[in-house]
């Protein structure tokens, strides 16, 4: 584990990448031995988050974070629960106790699978693994695994469990969210059929909420899709204009680099939505999954810092349909030049059409954006 809670607001981090010796001497954190590129702060408005502990130049690797827990993606094709890697459907091995697919007997007895196997074996419902099913299809049952692995931390790694307890989960909102009944349904299923008296509903709900609020999805070389929870990364706030970039290796360790120069005390940010989605899509994801509205520099500027990234080009004149800052599909959007109007729904439909046409042509076979434009005109 790479960090330890000291109190509500301070985490001492085994910084794999710490700042210079000279800086360590003047560093104002009270945990000087563990001086690193970032420190944890807490404000009323932004909650717990990380800021730069010193000036950081673009490209610097500021952190290597190791996952507290790793598990399959929400919907996943065959993943071995013993080694978190892909299984060939033709040579699948079925666990003798829980009946979940694995790659071998060795994986049945692995340290990752053994404890959860005991819990999964309690499942006596119709939907359990082992019933005839098409092994080449993705299964939503994989959503259970990372939640169970987190619950197991309570006895396996009390320090990690403590850290997990302090993470954001929006548990109550998720339990009462009528638009997303899966949360309550999954919690209920785990409580009734798997963990029974060992865990309370609010603990299961918190853990699943923590995963949905903080876990990072990534793919291994075998293309198996996984999710992992990172102790330090979970404290990094969102911005649609992030100053950090993540990369995750096959063993799950995450390297975090600065993409731009960052000043001391500036907030460190990552994107929870990806940077190539329009304003309305970013805000929908952030509202529905993370329960907040983004007010970053990109989101509050109608031109998105002059990029007009979410503003549709007018086909009647050289103007733009300026992206409205209130997301309502029926709102009328005006061209900033000729006052022609469209609803946001019209704009989304147009975008879909263009996207389909773009997918049909070989973009990388063209030598310039102009050539692509000529072909779709
Ligand atoms: Zn320092
Ligand atoms: Zn395996
Ligand atoms: Zn098993
Ligand atoms: Zn934003
Ligand atoms: Zn116009």
């Amino acid at each position: 584990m790479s960090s330890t809670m000291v109190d509500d607001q301070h985490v001492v981090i085994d910084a794999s990448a710490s700042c210079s010796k000279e800086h360590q001497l003047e560093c104002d954190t009270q945990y000087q031995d563990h001086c690193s590129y970032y420190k944890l702060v807490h404000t009323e408005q932004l909650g717990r988050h990380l800021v730069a502990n010193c000036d950081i130049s673009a490209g610097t690797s500021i952190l290597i974070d190791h996952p507290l827990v790793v598990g399959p993606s929400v919907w996943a094709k065959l993943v071995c629960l013993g080694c978190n890697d892909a299984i060939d459907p033709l040579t699948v091995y079925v666990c003798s106790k829980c009946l979940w697919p694995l790659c071998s007997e060795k994986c049945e007895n692995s340290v990752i699978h053994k404890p959860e196997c005991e819990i999964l074996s309690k499942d006596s419902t119709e939907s359990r693994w082992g019933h005839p099913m098409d092994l080449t299809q993705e299964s939503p049952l994989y959503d259970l695994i990372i939640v169970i692995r987190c619950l197991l931390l309570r006895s396996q790694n009390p320090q990690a469990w403590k850290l997990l307890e302090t993470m954001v989960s929006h548990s109550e909102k998720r339990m009462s969210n009528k638009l997303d009944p899966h949360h309550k349904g999954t919690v209920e299923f785990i409580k009734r059929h798997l963990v029974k008296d060992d865990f309370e509903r609010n603990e299961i709900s918190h853990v699943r909420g923590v995963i949905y609020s903080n876990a990072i999805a990534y793919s291994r070389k075998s293309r198996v899709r996984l999710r992992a929870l990172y102790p330090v990364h979970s404290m990094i706030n969102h911005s649609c204009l992030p100053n950090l970039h993540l990369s995750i290796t096959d063993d799950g360790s995450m390297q975090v680099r600065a993409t731009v120069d960052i000043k001391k005390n500036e907030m460190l940010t990552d994107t929870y939505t990806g940077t190539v989605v329009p304003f309305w899509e970013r805000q929908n994801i952030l509202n529905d999954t993370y329960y907040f509205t983004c007010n970053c520099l990109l989101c509050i500027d109608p031109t998105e810092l002059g990029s007009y990234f979410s503003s549709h080009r007018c086909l009647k004149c050289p103007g733009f349909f300026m992206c409205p800052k209130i997301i309502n599909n029926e709102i009328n959007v005006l061209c900033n030049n000729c006052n022609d109007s469209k609803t946001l729904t019209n704009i989304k439909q147009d975008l879909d059409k263009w996207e389909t046409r773009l997918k049909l042509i070989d973009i990388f076979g063209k030598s310039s954006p102009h050539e692509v434009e000529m072909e779709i005109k």
Side-chain angles (χ1 to χ4, degrees), residues 80 83 103 107:
C80 172
C83 61
C103 47
C107 283

Side-chain angles (χ1 to χ4, degrees), residues 212-231:
Y212 277 78
S213 307
N214 300 283
I216 299 294
Y218 70 99
S219 298
R220 290 188 69 167
K221 284 189 196 119
S222 59
R223 295 193 160 204
V224 107
R225 291 201 311 262
L226 302 172
R227 289 180 286 178
L229 191 62
Y230 293 89

Side-chain angles (χ1 to χ4, degrees), residues 21-309:
K21 262 267 159 349
E22 301 83 72
H23 185 259
Q24 205 161 335
L25 293 171
E26 64 184 50
C27 193
D28 55 9
T29 143
Q30 53 177 308
Y31 307 107
Q32 292 185 8
D33 299 350
H34 299 269
C35 172
S36 63
Y37 282 108
Y38 47 90
K39 67 179 173 193
L40 186 64
V41 294
H42 189 279
T43 65
E44 200 67 44
Q45 203 195 351
L46 298 166
R48 215 167 62 153
H49 62 276
L50 298 185
V51 297
N53 203 17
C54 45
D55 290 346
I56 301 170
S57 45
T60 307
S61 170
I62 65 158
L63 153 76
I64 306 285
D65 209 0
H66 301 283
L68 288 177
V69 61
V70 179
S73 216
V74 188
W75 282 81
K77 284 197 177 174
L78 287 185
V79 186
C80 172
L81 301 188
C83 61
N84 286 329
D85 217 338
I87 314 174
D88 180 348
L90 297 174
T91 59
V92 63
Y93 169 91
V94 174
C95 179
S96 67
K97 298 179 193 74
C98 68
L99 308 182
W100 279 65
L102 302 165
C103 47
S104 62
E105 194 180 341
K106 189 173 148 235
C107 283
E108 173 169 339
N109 295 310
S110 68
V111 264
I112 321 183
H113 183 58
K114 271 212 125 160
E116 74 201 6
C117 182
E118 232 172 90
I119 295 176
L120 293 169
S121 303
K122 291 181 189 156
D123 183 2
S124 57
T125 60
E126 279 291 301
S127 59
R128 69 176 298 174
W129 276 103
H131 277 255
M133 66 185 324
D134 183 358
L135 292 177
T136 58
Q137 293 301 308
E138 301 197 344
S139 170
L141 281 179
Y142 278 118
D143 190 30
L144 304 173
I145 302 299
I146 196 168
V147 180
I148 293 170
R149 288 181 183 172
C150 283
L151 292 171
L152 283 165
L153 290 176
R154 193 179 66 185
S155 57
Q156 289 175 343
N157 184 346
Q159 214 179 22
W161 176 254
K162 232 178 151 179
L163 194 64
L164 204 130
E165 280 183 310
T166 68
M167 290 184 187
V168 172
S169 71
H170 303 289
S171 172
E172 274 152 45
K173 286 180 206 147
R174 291 182 199 277
M175 281 301 258
S176 58
N177 187 350
K178 302 233 161 32
L179 296 173
D180 179 21
H182 295 294
H183 182 76
K184 203 174 172 186
T186 309
V187 170
E188 206 48 45
F189 182 87
I190 294 175
K191 169 73 183 162
R192 273 205 244 159
H193 301 293
L194 302 178
V195 300
K196 303 183 182 168
D197 292 336
D198 292 344
F199 289 91
E200 296 306 322
R201 279 182 181 76
N202 62 358
E203 289 175 304
I204 306 166
S205 170
H206 174 72
V207 159
R208 189 172 185 273
V210 163
I211 294 298
Y212 277 78
S213 307
N214 300 283
I216 299 294
Y218 70 99
S219 298
R220 290 188 69 167
K221 284 189 196 119
S222 59
R223 295 193 160 204
V224 107
R225 291 201 311 262
L226 302 172
R227 289 180 286 178
L229 191 62
Y230 293 89
V232 186
H233 178 270
S234 70
M235 292 179 278
I236 294 174
N237 269 3
H238 164 87
S239 165
C240 301
L241 206 65
N243 53 22
L244 302 177
H245 175 265
L246 322 176
S247 52
I248 298 176
T249 56
D250 217 46
D251 70 355
S253 52
M254 174 195 280
Q255 184 181 48
V256 182
R257 279 181 189 278
T259 51
V260 289
D261 292 341
I262 305 171
K263 284 258 167 292
K264 181 176 177 172
N265 291 327
E266 209 176 298
M267 184 164 69
L268 297 176
T269 54
D270 175 31
T271 166
Y272 301 172
T273 61
T275 49
V276 289
V277 284
F279 172 79
W280 56 83
E281 213 171 303
R282 300 197 305 265
Q283 294 290 0
N284 279 343
I285 298 171
L286 296 172
N287 276 299
D288 296 352
T289 310
Y290 300 94
Y291 297 91
F292 73 93
T293 300
C294 186
N295 289 310
C296 75
L297 287 177
L298 207 60
C299 287
I300 56 171
D301 178 0
T303 73
E304 291 178 282
L305 303 177
S307 70
Y308 294 85
F309 185 71

Side-chain angles (χ1 to χ4, degrees), residues 314 317 319 335 337-338 340:
C314 178
C317 80
C335 169
N337 186 42
C338 73
D340 190 19

